[in-house]
Amino acid sequence: MTHYLLSVHGPAEMEEFGGYPSREAMEQSFADTGRFNDQLKADGYWVFAGGLQSATTATLVDGQGETPVVTDGPYLETKEYIAGFWVIDAPDLDVALKLAAEGSKACRGVVEVRPFDGLA
Amino acid sequence: MSATSSTTAQAIERVFREEYGRLIASLVRRFGDIDIAEEAAGEALVAALEKWPQQYPDSGVPPNPGAWLTTTAGNRAIDRLRREKLRDDKHRQAVDMYDDTPHESLGVFESNEDDRLRLMFTCCHPALAPEARIALTLRLLGGLTVEEIAQAFLVPETTMGQRITRAKKKIAAAKIPYRVPAPEDLPARVATVLAVLFLVFNEGYLASGDGEPVRSELTGEAIRLARILHGLMPGEPEVTGLLALLLLTEARREARVRHGELVRLDDQDRGGWDRALITEGHALVRECLAINRPGRYQLLAAINAVHTDAPTAETTDWSQVVALYDQLLTVDPSPIVALNRAVAIAELDGPEVALAQVDRLVETAPVLSSYHALHATRADLLRRLGRSTDAREAYDAALAVCDNTAERAYLTRRRGELV
């Protein structure tokens, strides 16, 4: 089995309905994502998942020097940032891609699938 | 090296290339690692070059070279794994599997064929970049060297080497599986494999760059791989269709270029067409018709069957060609298909009707203006309508984006002949 990070990207600043066109759309997506999560758990693929606060809430810490330097984040200035992710445990990439497609449909976003080099 | 021994070496290398895909595929199944498989195969070749001339002085090749290479490569891989004392579970399992297959059976059992099919799906996996799929397929299944693939696609050898290395690393790290996809995924995945073979063929048939206008090593390799795929999936009509399409196109290869200049279909010497390939292609098209599940490649093959069925250009059944393009447009509604349909319309309804369609097409699909065939088609239609000034402009536009030496020569001559 291999662990994969399934990440979803979203805009830096969330709009009123978290990037969804309406409250109904947002609630529907949340419900679909919740069902998808339950299915991941039931099928034994689930390791961990979560949604993140907007990228503007990120803080950078560089502790390589004598005293840590703390600055306002995020690390990279781009238009889109990781908005949430799943960590799954799947037998191979085909299974991971199939789950990613379901997750993408549920959360209404493009999902990036990336294998872990290892888990601590 | 004497003449005899260098001929023997060439014979051995030819056999090796012939067996390469099968060899790599079975090693990948056994050891679960492409790098180990490639290295062991390379060592088996070195061993063959050394031992075959001594052990088989008559032919220079053992009676079952595939089995010899598979056994030798397998042993080399085991040796290497033992030597390196790899602790990785996967490798230990692989070593534990040692001797699970008696070597007498290799090369004849069906599982061996399945191995190559699995490897094709791995090499053409949609998670790999399209150019990496092509390179991996030619390297692992076709047995072409990195240098040969780099030359064929006009990129530096280091670039091609990196492309292949990166793709192999992704296969290993992301765990791209080594298996035939599930039935529900099969049509889409087969389409990806067919697209790779078609691209390889086309790069050979209308080669880009300043070199040879046709690279027969690429068309030949695409056909060889399509034949293998057809043998492995005889019931998939699109696979049959692609093979038929490649054969019917390849049949015209010799007649298609004369003195370095492209010869258009209607000007070709039909006596120079390869009748054996045409007969085979027509039989495959009939096979597809009987299955009656038409698709893109089958329809393209059927169009080529109509052309190769006509003893002269004048006797071509153009209404049949247009009808097939209409059907093709429903499964592949691309502007390029529509452009080719317009070319057939010119024969059926005249150049004026065709030109109007082509010009409408450019309005709806501006992307066509960077496609040399669009300008070449317009140039030809304008020439036939006697509109020399417009035709000259169109030839210039075609020449500006055309990247094949033979086609450039043709367009240049035609432009010069305008009055």
Side-chain angles (χ1 to χ4, degrees):
Chain A
M1 297 290 268
T2 301
H3 289 97
Y4 297 90
L5 174 71
L6 274 49
S7 55
V8 186
H9 291 69
E13 287 274 14
M14 287 299 175
E15 320 253 309
E16 194 185 351
F17 305 119
Y20 298 95
S22 67
R23 175 175 303 279
E24 292 71 33
M26 182 176 76
E27 283 170 355
Q28 184 61 49
S29 172
F30 284 0
D32 290 349
T33 306
R35 263 195 299 278
F36 172 66
N37 290 341
D38 292 342
Q39 195 59 47
L40 282 181
K41 288 174 188 163
D43 294 340
Y45 299 121
W46 173 275
V47 178
F48 182 71
L52 296 171
Q53 294 280 4
S54 71
T56 50
T57 64
T59 308
L60 295 181
V61 180
D62 187 348
Q64 299 171 96
E66 224 160 90
T67 45
V69 180
V70 175
T71 41
D72 185 29
Y75 184 57
L76 294 172
E77 288 293 338
T78 66
K79 278 190 185 140
E80 297 209 305
Y81 297 90
I82 287 191
F85 62 88
W86 292 272
V87 177
I88 60 160
D89 192 7
D92 60 43
L93 187 67
D94 278 359
V95 176
L97 295 180
K98 193 156 275 182
L99 295 171
E102 290 168 22
S104 164
K105 191 170 215 162
C107 76
R108 275 63 159 176
V110 176
V111 173
E112 179 181 306
V113 180
R114 192 165 158 188
F116 275 86
D117 195 12
L119 284 194
Chain B
M1 194 181 265
S2 74
T4 329
S5 65
S6 84
T7 330
T8 311
Q10 276 171 11
I12 294 171
E13 272 163 25
R14 200 165 48 239
V15 167
F16 182 70
R17 165 105 173 246
E18 200 58 37
E19 294 290 337
Y20 195 81
R22 219 188 292 262
L23 178 61
I24 289 289
S26 83
L27 291 166
V28 170
R29 170 180 41 85
R30 226 172 129 193
F31 298 100
D33 186 296
I34 293 172
D35 285 329
I36 291 176
E38 280 189 295
E39 194 172 315
E43 288 179 19
L45 172 64
V46 173
L49 287 167
E50 187 191 314
K51 293 188 175 152
W52 289 2
Q54 298 162 20
Q55 292 176 358
Y56 309 96
D58 294 342
S59 59
V61 173
N64 188 345
W68 195 100
L69 289 166
T70 307
T71 308
T72 307
N75 291 342
R76 295 299 161 107
I78 303 274
D79 286 349
R80 178 190 151 176
L81 291 169
R82 288 218 174 109
R83 213 166 44 235
E84 294 176 0
K85 292 189 171 58
L86 292 178
R87 293 201 163 75
D88 188 303
D89 271 345
K90 187 173 62 185
H91 295 162
R92 230 186 7 237
Q93 275 170 13
V95 177
D96 289 342
M97 278 158 57
Y98 179 38
D99 264 354
D100 71 332
T101 342
H103 68 257
E104 288 83 2
S105 70
L106 291 172
V108 287
F109 273 33
E110 214 177 45
S111 72
N112 233 7
E113 299 302 321
D114 292 346
D115 287 343
R116 274 194 298 183
L117 191 57
R118 287 191 194 101
L119 190 56
M120 273 196 200
F121 283 110
T122 306
C123 290
C124 300
H125 197 280
L128 298 170
E131 66 270 20
R133 294 175 207 163
I134 294 170
L136 268 185
T137 303
L138 289 175
R139 176 77 200 100
L140 298 179
L141 286 148
L144 272 69
T145 62
V146 174
E147 189 190 354
E148 285 170 330
I149 303 168
Q151 275 170 7
F153 289 94
L154 311 168
V155 299
E157 197 181 332
T158 47
T159 309
M160 189 53 82
Q162 281 164 0
R163 192 178 287 174
I164 292 173
T165 307
R166 213 177 297 136
K168 286 194 291 194
K169 196 175 167 210
K170 181 165 183 180
I171 291 174
K175 229 172 171 184
I176 291 181
Y178 178 59
R179 66 154 176 266
V180 176
E184 69 266 26
D185 300 329
L186 206 56
R189 295 288 305 277
V190 169
T192 322
V193 177
L194 297 177
V196 165
L197 299 185
F198 196 35
L199 280 169
V200 170
F201 183 87
N202 283 334
E203 182 50 34
Y205 201 68
L206 197 70
S208 46
D210 297 330
E212 286 296 309
V214 177
R215 297 210 180 90
S216 56
E217 74 277 13
L218 282 182
T219 58
E221 191 54 39
I223 288 175
R224 194 171 76 90
L225 292 172
R227 278 191 196 284
I228 293 171
L229 188 61
H230 176 58
L232 298 170
M233 308 187 94
E236 283 292 322
E238 276 293 85
V239 176
T240 313
L242 180 80
L243 178 58
L245 170 63
L246 301 191
L247 294 174
L248 293 173
T249 314
E250 176 79 357
R252 307 195 301 266
R253 180 162 61 82
E254 290 292 328
R256 198 168 136 272
V257 178
R258 195 165 50 215
H259 309 305
E261 188 182 304
L262 188 82
V263 184
R264 285 166 41 105
L265 185 58
D266 37 337
D267 299 326
Q268 285 174 17
D269 168 18
R270 295 186 178 218
W273 288 357
D274 187 325
R275 297 318 306 183
L277 291 183
I278 290 174
T279 307
E280 192 186 352
H282 285 183
L284 291 169
V285 170
R286 281 194 296 275
E287 230 175 80
C288 292
L289 289 172
I291 297 176
N292 195 21
R293 263 162 54 208
R296 179 170 178 242
Y297 297 109
Q298 296 173 74
L299 289 164
L300 285 168
I303 291 166
N304 278 275
V306 175
H307 285 304
T308 45
D309 207 24
T312 59
E314 295 72 39
T315 50
T316 305
D317 185 351
W318 287 106
S319 61
Q320 178 70 9
V321 172
V322 170
L324 287 166
Y325 272 120
D326 284 335
Q327 217 184 332
L328 183 57
L329 274 171
T330 63
V331 294
D332 179 16
S334 83
I336 290 176
V337 174
L339 176 65
N340 288 326
R341 183 186 179 278
V343 173
I345 286 290
E347 304 307 320
L348 201 62
D349 300 330
E352 196 154 11
V353 180
L355 184 64
Q357 290 189 1
V358 171
D359 287 342
R360 249 197 328 274
L361 207 55
V362 188
E363 277 167 37
T364 53
V367 61
L368 273 180
S369 9
S370 60
Y371 183 49
H372 70 94
L374 178 268
H375 300 291
T377 302
R378 285 195 75 244
D380 188 59
L381 296 172
L382 289 163
R383 178 188 61 79
R384 286 160 69 177
L385 290 167
R387 291 167 54 184
S388 294
T389 314
D390 295 336
R392 194 167 291 120
E393 257 175 47
Y395 279 117
D396 286 339
L399 281 162
V401 283
C402 174
D403 195 23
N404 178 272
T405 53
E407 192 166 9
R408 293 188 64 85
Y410 166 77
L411 292 168
T412 308
R413 178 175 63 78
R414 270 295 159 107
R415 186 191 183 282
E417 284 168 5
L418 289 172
V419 282

